[in-house]
Amino acid sequence: MTTATDTPTGGEAGPDRPEAGRGATDEERLRRWRLVLGGDSAESTGCTLTGRDAAMDGALNALYGGGSKPGGRGGNERSAGLGASAPSVARWLGDIRTYFPSSVVQVMQRDAIDRLGLSTLLLEPEMLEAVEVDVHLVGTLLSLSKAMPETTKETARVVVRKVVEDLEKRLADRTRATLTGALDRSSKISRPRHHDIDWDRTIRANLKNYLPEYGTVVPERLIGHGRADRSVKKDVILCIDQSGSMAASVVYASVFGAVLASMRTLRTRLVVFDTAVVDLTDQLDDPVDVLFGTRLGGGTDINRALAYCQSRVTRPADTVVVLISDLYEGGIRNEMLKRVAAMKASGVQFVTLLALSDEGAPAYDREHAAALGALGAPAFACTPDLFPEVMAAALERRPLPVPDTEISR
């Protein structure tokens, strides 16, 4: 409950919500503790909630209290609950959007789905129209997509499209700019014009010609940036684990897949897998179609997925394979590792992401992560903001910007 009440005052201050700060009064501190602890646990505060505070307390209690009255909203009535009533849940969703900021609303919605088993209510169009949409909600909707009635699917697509479009606005331009620069730098030319010279690479390539008496390097060989063209320079294969724990990663990977596919100098393939393997490359022009082509949940066979990806590699030295998985392998472990080793030996750049999301440290198979690291393919979690840099490093065949965390070690 403390997560949802980090900002217990929600929006602007009002008569029932005095301005808080370093000089907050004892009464204001008691009020905040009363909201955090709830009526049953905070009777000794002597603080009675009224007006908006009482309504906020009722909304919190409906989710985090122990009672069972659907839609209860009283101030000191700590027996209220959401139950399984769609009308009461819809009212509650409206209440929390009124009383709390968007970031807190998203946390409370996830808690309601996890704690109270309200996933099935998302199959109703009216419910979908009432929720605050985010990546996690999209993951829940995708896991329910096969059970959705036709009357709900169109509403669900609208909800998913809104999230996807917001992510594209946030990520697309920076991704294209970063990768375009990486692709241009990776295309070396041996006789560059002056403004095309890559001075960093040129100096490093000619260090043996350093003249200490003059304090300079004689550049016998010039290395230049490749001039931009529209030919395909690199192949990228995104191989995405669609088990239930990877929901947020599937959403972000689908958006990035569409962005990469829009770049003419990249040939992008997107593959999703559980115990089966599905190639969704033909749908990359619309990430919403990609997402609804996935089926979250089920088992995991990484070896089978990598076998398919390996069969699609035609230019090993110009190919980057990105495996996005928590590495809980249900297939043949040794075969999986052999495939990774074989691809790397052929020249493929292999990247393993334990998660592609804004979340904290994910759960993952540490033994498999260590084995991949020993093969020179370190496994680490990656945020969406870091992903363009990871891909740029892979395309340029330089060390990956692995976060300095326990996961990457």
Side-chain angles (χ1 to χ4, degrees), residues 5-35:
T5 55
D6 287 341
T7 313
T9 55
E12 299 177 357
D16 297 305
R17 304 138 62 87
E19 190 68 30
R22 184 167 294 182
T25 64
D26 289 343
E27 181 181 354
E28 171 62 9
R29 293 191 185 96
L30 287 174
R31 167 185 166 274
R32 286 174 174 262
W33 276 112
R34 170 63 179 79
L35 282 167

PDB file of all heavy atoms in Angstrom, residues 5-35:
ATOM      1  N   THR A   5       0.682   5.294  -2.075  1.00  0.00           N
ATOM      2  CA  THR A   5       0.459   6.496  -1.285  1.00  0.00           C
ATOM      3  C   THR A   5       1.734   7.294  -1.089  1.00  0.00           C
ATOM      4  O   THR A   5       1.851   8.078  -0.166  1.00  0.00           O
ATOM      5  CB  THR A   5      -0.133   6.133   0.097  1.00  0.00           C
ATOM      6  OG1 THR A   5       0.745   5.195   0.723  1.00  0.00           O
ATOM      7  CG2 THR A   5      -1.508   5.557  -0.032  1.00  0.00           C
ATOM      8  N   ASP A   6       2.726   7.073  -1.976  1.00  0.00           N
ATOM      9  CA  ASP A   6       3.921   7.898  -1.920  1.00  0.00           C
ATOM     10  C   ASP A   6       3.571   9.363  -2.095  1.00  0.00           C
ATOM     11  O   ASP A   6       4.239  10.246  -1.591  1.00  0.00           O
ATOM     12  CB  ASP A   6       4.912   7.493  -3.024  1.00  0.00           C
ATOM     13  CG  ASP A   6       5.585   6.165  -2.708  1.00  0.00           C
ATOM     14  OD1 ASP A   6       5.555   5.776  -1.526  1.00  0.00           O
ATOM     15  OD2 ASP A   6       6.107   5.535  -3.634  1.00  0.00           O
ATOM     16  N   THR A   7       2.521   9.633  -2.878  1.00  0.00           N
ATOM     17  CA  THR A   7       2.029  10.990  -3.062  1.00  0.00           C
ATOM     18  C   THR A   7       0.576  11.008  -2.634  1.00  0.00           C
ATOM     19  O   THR A   7      -0.327  11.084  -3.470  1.00  0.00           O
ATOM     20  CB  THR A   7       2.155  11.421  -4.551  1.00  0.00           C
ATOM     21  OG1 THR A   7       3.452  11.091  -5.018  1.00  0.00           O
ATOM     22  CG2 THR A   7       1.932  12.915  -4.685  1.00  0.00           C
ATOM     23  N   PRO A   8       0.297  10.937  -1.342  1.00  0.00           N
ATOM     24  CA  PRO A   8      -1.074  10.743  -0.896  1.00  0.00           C
ATOM     25  C   PRO A   8      -1.981  11.893  -1.197  1.00  0.00           C
ATOM     26  O   PRO A   8      -3.191  11.760  -1.174  1.00  0.00           O
ATOM     27  CB  PRO A   8      -0.914  10.541   0.617  1.00  0.00           C
ATOM     28  CG  PRO A   8       0.361  11.208   0.976  1.00  0.00           C
ATOM     29  CD  PRO A   8       1.236  11.014  -0.208  1.00  0.00           C
ATOM     30  N   THR A   9      -1.427  13.039  -1.527  1.00  0.00           N
ATOM     31  CA  THR A   9      -2.293  14.182  -1.783  1.00  0.00           C
ATOM     32  C   THR A   9      -2.731  14.266  -3.227  1.00  0.00           C
ATOM     33  O   THR A   9      -3.544  15.112  -3.583  1.00  0.00           O
ATOM     34  CB  THR A   9      -1.572  15.492  -1.412  1.00  0.00           C
ATOM     35  OG1 THR A   9      -0.335  15.536  -2.109  1.00  0.00           O
ATOM     36  CG2 THR A   9      -1.315  15.543   0.087  1.00  0.00           C
ATOM     37  N   GLY A  10      -2.202  13.402  -4.106  1.00  0.00           N
ATOM     38  CA  GLY A  10      -2.642  13.379  -5.501  1.00  0.00           C
ATOM     39  C   GLY A  10      -2.347  14.672  -6.209  1.00  0.00           C
ATOM     40  O   GLY A  10      -1.222  15.066  -6.408  1.00  0.00           O
ATOM     41  N   GLY A  11      -3.379  15.421  -6.594  1.00  0.00           N
ATOM     42  CA  GLY A  11      -3.227  16.627  -7.385  1.00  0.00           C
ATOM     43  C   GLY A  11      -2.963  17.841  -6.536  1.00  0.00           C
ATOM     44  O   GLY A  11      -2.196  17.844  -5.580  1.00  0.00           O
ATOM     45  N   GLU A  12      -3.653  18.972  -6.821  1.00  0.00           N
ATOM     46  CA  GLU A  12      -3.388  20.223  -6.147  1.00  0.00           C
ATOM     47  C   GLU A  12      -3.933  20.221  -4.725  1.00  0.00           C
ATOM     48  O   GLU A  12      -4.830  19.478  -4.374  1.00  0.00           O
ATOM     49  CB  GLU A  12      -4.030  21.367  -6.947  1.00  0.00           C
ATOM     50  CG  GLU A  12      -3.464  21.483  -8.362  1.00  0.00           C
ATOM     51  CD  GLU A  12      -4.158  22.572  -9.133  1.00  0.00           C
ATOM     52  OE1 GLU A  12      -5.089  23.168  -8.560  1.00  0.00           O
ATOM     53  OE2 GLU A  12      -3.765  22.818 -10.270  1.00  0.00           O
ATOM     54  N   ALA A  13      -3.367  21.136  -3.891  1.00  0.00           N
ATOM     55  CA  ALA A  13      -3.828  21.236  -2.515  1.00  0.00           C
ATOM     56  C   ALA A  13      -5.220  21.837  -2.477  1.00  0.00           C
ATOM     57  O   ALA A  13      -5.635  22.585  -3.351  1.00  0.00           O
ATOM     58  CB  ALA A  13      -2.860  22.094  -1.705  1.00  0.00           C
ATOM     59  N   GLY A  14      -5.971  21.510  -1.427  1.00  0.00           N
ATOM     60  CA  GLY A  14      -7.323  22.025  -1.287  1.00  0.00           C
ATOM     61  C   GLY A  14      -7.658  22.168   0.176  1.00  0.00           C
ATOM     62  O   GLY A  14      -6.808  21.997   1.064  1.00  0.00           O
ATOM     63  N   PRO A  15      -8.901  22.456   0.536  1.00  0.00           N
ATOM     64  CA  PRO A  15      -9.298  22.655   1.919  1.00  0.00           C
ATOM     65  C   PRO A  15      -8.983  21.457   2.792  1.00  0.00           C
ATOM     66  O   PRO A  15      -8.625  21.606   3.957  1.00  0.00           O
ATOM     67  CB  PRO A  15     -10.804  22.891   1.811  1.00  0.00           C
ATOM     68  CG  PRO A  15     -11.033  23.377   0.425  1.00  0.00           C
ATOM     69  CD  PRO A  15     -10.006  22.673  -0.402  1.00  0.00           C
ATOM     70  N   ASP A  16      -9.135  20.234   2.230  1.00  0.00           N
ATOM     71  CA  ASP A  16      -8.883  19.036   3.029  1.00  0.00           C
ATOM     72  C   ASP A  16      -7.446  18.574   2.918  1.00  0.00           C
ATOM     73  O   ASP A  16      -7.071  17.569   3.481  1.00  0.00           O
ATOM     74  CB  ASP A  16      -9.794  17.886   2.555  1.00  0.00           C
ATOM     75  CG  ASP A  16     -11.256  18.230   2.759  1.00  0.00           C
ATOM     76  OD1 ASP A  16     -11.629  18.560   3.891  1.00  0.00           O
ATOM     77  OD2 ASP A  16     -11.992  18.188   1.760  1.00  0.00           O
ATOM     78  N   ARG A  17      -6.646  19.293   2.150  1.00  0.00           N
ATOM     79  CA  ARG A  17      -5.294  18.847   1.860  1.00  0.00           C
ATOM     80  C   ARG A  17      -4.334  20.013   2.021  1.00  0.00           C
ATOM     81  O   ARG A  17      -3.912  20.627   1.055  1.00  0.00           O
ATOM     82  CB  ARG A  17      -5.212  18.327   0.428  1.00  0.00           C
ATOM     83  CG  ARG A  17      -6.204  17.232   0.132  1.00  0.00           C
ATOM     84  CD  ARG A  17      -6.795  17.470  -1.248  1.00  0.00           C
ATOM     85  NE  ARG A  17      -5.761  17.412  -2.252  1.00  0.00           N
ATOM     86  CZ  ARG A  17      -5.381  16.279  -2.835  1.00  0.00           C
ATOM     87  NH1 ARG A  17      -5.974  15.173  -2.544  1.00  0.00           N
ATOM     88  NH2 ARG A  17      -4.442  16.280  -3.727  1.00  0.00           N
ATOM     89  N   PRO A  18      -3.989  20.421   3.237  1.00  0.00           N
ATOM     90  CA  PRO A  18      -3.109  21.560   3.438  1.00  0.00           C
ATOM     91  C   PRO A  18      -1.756  21.340   2.805  1.00  0.00           C
ATOM     92  O   PRO A  18      -1.296  20.224   2.657  1.00  0.00           O
ATOM     93  CB  PRO A  18      -2.990  21.649   4.968  1.00  0.00           C
ATOM     94  CG  PRO A  18      -3.372  20.300   5.469  1.00  0.00           C
ATOM     95  CD  PRO A  18      -4.362  19.761   4.495  1.00  0.00           C
ATOM     96  N   GLU A  19      -1.095  22.433   2.434  1.00  0.00           N
ATOM     97  CA  GLU A  19       0.211  22.356   1.792  1.00  0.00           C
ATOM     98  C   GLU A  19       1.219  21.718   2.741  1.00  0.00           C
ATOM     99  O   GLU A  19       1.326  22.078   3.905  1.00  0.00           O
ATOM    100  CB  GLU A  19       0.679  23.771   1.420  1.00  0.00           C
ATOM    101  CG  GLU A  19       1.904  23.784   0.545  1.00  0.00           C
ATOM    102  CD  GLU A  19       1.614  23.237  -0.822  1.00  0.00           C
ATOM    103  OE1 GLU A  19       0.478  23.377  -1.283  1.00  0.00           O
ATOM    104  OE2 GLU A  19       2.533  22.658  -1.422  1.00  0.00           O
ATOM    105  N   ALA A  20       1.939  20.699   2.256  1.00  0.00           N
ATOM    106  CA  ALA A  20       2.918  20.004   3.084  1.00  0.00           C
ATOM    107  C   ALA A  20       4.315  20.400   2.660  1.00  0.00           C
ATOM    108  O   ALA A  20       4.547  20.837   1.554  1.00  0.00           O
ATOM    109  CB  ALA A  20       2.741  18.498   2.969  1.00  0.00           C
ATOM    110  N   GLY A  21       5.278  20.195   3.533  1.00  0.00           N
ATOM    111  CA  GLY A  21       6.657  20.513   3.216  1.00  0.00           C
ATOM    112  C   GLY A  21       7.499  20.322   4.454  1.00  0.00           C
ATOM    113  O   GLY A  21       7.109  19.647   5.405  1.00  0.00           O
ATOM    114  N   ARG A  22       8.667  20.957   4.445  1.00  0.00           N
ATOM    115  CA  ARG A  22       9.564  20.782   5.565  1.00  0.00           C
ATOM    116  C   ARG A  22       8.932  21.292   6.860  1.00  0.00           C
ATOM    117  O   ARG A  22       9.154  20.774   7.946  1.00  0.00           O
ATOM    118  CB  ARG A  22      10.875  21.517   5.271  1.00  0.00           C
ATOM    119  CG  ARG A  22      11.932  21.301   6.354  1.00  0.00           C
ATOM    120  CD  ARG A  22      13.271  21.774   5.887  1.00  0.00           C
ATOM    121  NE  ARG A  22      13.753  20.975   4.781  1.00  0.00           N
ATOM    122  CZ  ARG A  22      14.933  21.156   4.202  1.00  0.00           C
ATOM    123  NH1 ARG A  22      15.734  22.100   4.635  1.00  0.00           N
ATOM    124  NH2 ARG A  22      15.308  20.399   3.187  1.00  0.00           N
ATOM    125  N   GLY A  23       8.088  22.316   6.728  1.00  0.00           N
ATOM    126  CA  GLY A  23       7.468  22.884   7.909  1.00  0.00           C
ATOM    127  C   GLY A  23       6.074  22.360   8.153  1.00  0.00           C
ATOM    128  O   GLY A  23       5.235  23.042   8.754  1.00  0.00           O
ATOM    129  N   ALA A  24       5.769  21.165   7.682  1.00  0.00           N
ATOM    130  CA  ALA A  24       4.433  20.607   7.855  1.00  0.00           C
ATOM    131  C   ALA A  24       4.093  20.496   9.333  1.00  0.00           C
ATOM    132  O   ALA A  24       4.935  20.174  10.167  1.00  0.00           O
ATOM    133  CB  ALA A  24       4.356  19.235   7.199  1.00  0.00           C
ATOM    134  N   THR A  25       2.835  20.760   9.681  1.00  0.00           N
ATOM    135  CA  THR A  25       2.385  20.697  11.068  1.00  0.00           C
ATOM    136  C   THR A  25       2.230  19.257  11.514  1.00  0.00           C
ATOM    137  O   THR A  25       2.178  18.328  10.707  1.00  0.00           O
ATOM    138  CB  THR A  25       1.037  21.424  11.205  1.00  0.00           C
ATOM    139  OG1 THR A  25       0.067  20.712  10.426  1.00  0.00           O
ATOM    140  CG2 THR A  25       1.133  22.865  10.721  1.00  0.00           C
ATOM    141  N   ASP A  26       2.130  19.082  12.841  1.00  0.00           N
ATOM    142  CA  ASP A  26       1.894  17.740  13.374  1.00  0.00           C
ATOM    143  C   ASP A  26       0.584  17.185  12.844  1.00  0.00           C
ATOM    144  O   ASP A  26       0.479  15.984  12.560  1.00  0.00           O
ATOM    145  CB  ASP A  26       1.857  17.785  14.901  1.00  0.00           C
ATOM    146  CG  ASP A  26       3.238  18.037  15.489  1.00  0.00           C
ATOM    147  OD1 ASP A  26       4.225  17.847  14.754  1.00  0.00           O
ATOM    148  OD2 ASP A  26       3.320  18.434  16.665  1.00  0.00           O
ATOM    149  N   GLU A  27      -0.411  18.056  12.681  1.00  0.00           N
ATOM    150  CA  GLU A  27      -1.705  17.613  12.171  1.00  0.00           C
ATOM    151  C   GLU A  27      -1.585  17.070  10.752  1.00  0.00           C
ATOM    152  O   GLU A  27      -2.187  16.046  10.407  1.00  0.00           O
ATOM    153  CB  GLU A  27      -2.695  18.785  12.198  1.00  0.00           C
ATOM    154  CG  GLU A  27      -4.089  18.418  11.707  1.00  0.00           C
ATOM    155  CD  GLU A  27      -5.027  19.614  11.727  1.00  0.00           C
ATOM    156  OE1 GLU A  27      -4.627  20.683  12.229  1.00  0.00           O
ATOM    157  OE2 GLU A  27      -6.162  19.466  11.227  1.00  0.00           O
ATOM    158  N   GLU A  28      -0.765  17.740   9.951  1.00  0.00           N
ATOM    159  CA  GLU A  28      -0.578  17.278   8.573  1.00  0.00           C
ATOM    160  C   GLU A  28       0.167  15.943   8.548  1.00  0.00           C
ATOM    161  O   GLU A  28      -0.140  15.053   7.762  1.00  0.00           O
ATOM    162  CB  GLU A  28       0.188  18.331   7.772  1.00  0.00           C
ATOM    163  CG  GLU A  28       0.647  17.889   6.376  1.00  0.00           C
ATOM    164  CD  GLU A  28      -0.494  17.537   5.447  1.00  0.00           C
ATOM    165  OE1 GLU A  28      -1.669  17.793   5.800  1.00  0.00           O
ATOM    166  OE2 GLU A  28      -0.224  16.993   4.365  1.00  0.00           O
ATOM    167  N   ARG A  29       1.154  15.779   9.425  1.00  0.00           N
ATOM    168  CA  ARG A  29       1.874  14.505   9.483  1.00  0.00           C
ATOM    169  C   ARG A  29       0.946  13.376   9.906  1.00  0.00           C
ATOM    170  O   ARG A  29       1.009  12.263   9.357  1.00  0.00           O
ATOM    171  CB  ARG A  29       3.054  14.617  10.452  1.00  0.00           C
ATOM    172  CG  ARG A  29       4.157  15.552   9.991  1.00  0.00           C
ATOM    173  CD  ARG A  29       5.394  15.398  10.857  1.00  0.00           C
ATOM    174  NE  ARG A  29       6.409  16.373  10.478  1.00  0.00           N
ATOM    175  CZ  ARG A  29       6.584  17.538  11.090  1.00  0.00           C
ATOM    176  NH1 ARG A  29       5.802  17.872  12.115  1.00  0.00           N
ATOM    177  NH2 ARG A  29       7.524  18.368  10.689  1.00  0.00           N
ATOM    178  N   LEU A  30       0.086  13.657  10.896  1.00  0.00           N
ATOM    179  CA  LEU A  30      -0.864  12.636  11.333  1.00  0.00           C
ATOM    180  C   LEU A  30      -1.815  12.264  10.199  1.00  0.00           C
ATOM    181  O   LEU A  30      -2.163  11.101  10.016  1.00  0.00           O
ATOM    182  CB  LEU A  30      -1.656  13.145  12.542  1.00  0.00           C
ATOM    183  CG  LEU A  30      -0.891  13.203  13.868  1.00  0.00           C
ATOM    184  CD1 LEU A  30      -1.759  13.864  14.937  1.00  0.00           C
ATOM    185  CD2 LEU A  30      -0.474  11.809  14.312  1.00  0.00           C
ATOM    186  N   ARG A  31      -2.239  13.270   9.446  1.00  0.00           N
ATOM    187  CA  ARG A  31      -3.142  13.028   8.319  1.00  0.00           C
ATOM    188  C   ARG A  31      -2.488  12.098   7.295  1.00  0.00           C
ATOM    189  O   ARG A  31      -3.104  11.149   6.790  1.00  0.00           O
ATOM    190  CB  ARG A  31      -3.506  14.357   7.671  1.00  0.00           C
ATOM    191  CG  ARG A  31      -4.176  14.234   6.309  1.00  0.00           C
ATOM    192  CD  ARG A  31      -4.379  15.608   5.693  1.00  0.00           C
ATOM    193  NE  ARG A  31      -4.694  15.454   4.289  1.00  0.00           N
ATOM    194  CZ  ARG A  31      -3.778  15.353   3.326  1.00  0.00           C
ATOM    195  NH1 ARG A  31      -2.496  15.386   3.632  1.00  0.00           N
ATOM    196  NH2 ARG A  31      -4.141  15.203   2.064  1.00  0.00           N
ATOM    197  N   ARG A  32      -1.210  12.342   6.998  1.00  0.00           N
ATOM    198  CA  ARG A  32      -0.510  11.510   6.023  1.00  0.00           C
ATOM    199  C   ARG A  32      -0.342  10.081   6.543  1.00  0.00           C
ATOM    200  O   ARG A  32      -0.533   9.114   5.811  1.00  0.00           O
ATOM    201  CB  ARG A  32       0.868  12.118   5.706  1.00  0.00           C
ATOM    202  CG  ARG A  32       0.777  13.357   4.825  1.00  0.00           C
ATOM    203  CD  ARG A  32       2.143  14.005   4.658  1.00  0.00           C
ATOM    204  NE  ARG A  32       2.070  15.095   3.705  1.00  0.00           N
ATOM    205  CZ  ARG A  32       2.416  15.002   2.429  1.00  0.00           C
ATOM    206  NH1 ARG A  32       2.835  13.858   1.953  1.00  0.00           N
ATOM    207  NH2 ARG A  32       2.327  16.039   1.628  1.00  0.00           N
ATOM    208  N   TRP A  33       0.031   9.950   7.822  1.00  0.00           N
ATOM    209  CA  TRP A  33       0.158   8.614   8.388  1.00  0.00           C
ATOM    210  C   TRP A  33      -1.175   7.888   8.391  1.00  0.00           C
ATOM    211  O   TRP A  33      -1.247   6.678   8.162  1.00  0.00           O
ATOM    212  CB  TRP A  33       0.729   8.690   9.814  1.00  0.00           C
ATOM    213  CG  TRP A  33       2.215   8.760   9.836  1.00  0.00           C
ATOM    214  CD1 TRP A  33       2.993   9.813  10.221  1.00  0.00           C
ATOM    215  CD2 TRP A  33       3.122   7.730   9.437  1.00  0.00           C
ATOM    216  NE1 TRP A  33       4.314   9.522  10.078  1.00  0.00           N
ATOM    217  CE2 TRP A  33       4.439   8.226   9.607  1.00  0.00           C
ATOM    218  CE3 TRP A  33       2.961   6.432   8.953  1.00  0.00           C
ATOM    219  CZ2 TRP A  33       5.571   7.484   9.317  1.00  0.00           C
ATOM    220  CZ3 TRP A  33       4.085   5.680   8.665  1.00  0.00           C
ATOM    221  CH2 TRP A  33       5.371   6.202   8.837  1.00  0.00           C
ATOM    222  N   ARG A  34      -2.228   8.652   8.663  1.00  0.00           N
ATOM    223  CA  ARG A  34      -3.569   8.047   8.658  1.00  0.00           C
ATOM    224  C   ARG A  34      -3.910   7.486   7.286  1.00  0.00           C
ATOM    225  O   ARG A  34      -4.465   6.388   7.144  1.00  0.00           O
ATOM    226  CB  ARG A  34      -4.600   9.092   9.089  1.00  0.00           C
ATOM    227  CG  ARG A  34      -6.059   8.694   8.907  1.00  0.00           C
ATOM    228  CD  ARG A  34      -6.414   7.474   9.775  1.00  0.00           C
ATOM    229  NE  ARG A  34      -7.811   7.139   9.596  1.00  0.00           N
ATOM    230  CZ  ARG A  34      -8.297   6.472   8.549  1.00  0.00           C
ATOM    231  NH1 ARG A  34      -7.466   6.075   7.592  1.00  0.00           N
ATOM    232  NH2 ARG A  34      -9.581   6.198   8.453  1.00  0.00           N
ATOM    233  N   LEU A  35      -3.558   8.204   6.213  1.00  0.00           N
ATOM    234  CA  LEU A  35      -3.807   7.733   4.848  1.00  0.00           C
ATOM    235  C   LEU A  35      -2.953   6.516   4.523  1.00  0.00           C
ATOM    236  O   LEU A  35      -3.396   5.592   3.839  1.00  0.00           O
ATOM    237  CB  LEU A  35      -3.531   8.854   3.844  1.00  0.00           C
ATOM    238  CG  LEU A  35      -4.622   9.923   3.712  1.00  0.00           C
ATOM    239  CD1 LEU A  35      -4.097  11.123   2.933  1.00  0.00           C
ATOM    240  CD2 LEU A  35      -5.852   9.346   3.025  1.00  0.00           C
TER     241      LEU A  35
END
